[in-house]
Amino acid sequence: MWYAIEGFDGDDVLAQRRGARAAHLARLVALRDAGRLLLAGPCPTIDAEDPGPAGFSGSIVIAEFASLAEARVWADADPYIEAGVYRRVDVRPFVRVLP
């Protein structure tokens, strides 16, 4: 089943986000290469693809896991958590309708 994983950034964490980005992306690439990633990306805090120093409010990942518990374990191991980027992470089932 698909699961939506939404991480919410803390305040003033752009430097930590940049420092943990390579490890964060490596896990997403592994999901993609396994055919289990529907989409992933950050949410800028302003209306711009590159928000510069304004940074991001969080990230969204929609990926396939065997269970909600497995999705939560994967989300809890995100390098952004260890780096102190995310203040909260929500994981919930997602039903793909379109496309």
Side-chain angles (χ1 to χ4, degrees), residues 2-9 20 23-25 27-28 31 36-37 59-93:
W2 295 106
Y3 293 90
I5 301 169
E6 189 168 7
F8 297 87
D9 284 19
H24 171 80
L25 290 178
R27 298 175 77 236
L28 294 171
L31 283 178
R36 297 173 45 206
L37 183 66
S59 302
I60 298 171
V61 173
I62 299 179
E64 188 175 35
F65 295 92
S67 67
L68 179 59
E70 184 182 307
R72 284 187 174 141
V73 166
W74 186 90
D76 287 344
D78 194 303
Y80 282 172
I81 291 176
E82 184 178 332
V85 175
Y86 292 154
R87 63 177 165 80
R88 184 178 104 230
V89 176
D90 292 344
V91 181
R92 55 194 181 276

Side-chain angles (χ1 to χ4, degrees), residues 18-49:
R18 287 179 178 151
R21 187 170 189 265
H24 171 80
L25 290 178
R27 298 175 77 236
L28 294 171
V29 167
L31 283 178
R32 181 201 64 197
D33 291 351
R36 297 173 45 206
L37 183 66
L38 182 62
L39 65 86
C43 301
T45 57
I46 60 173
D47 191 13
E49 283 191 36

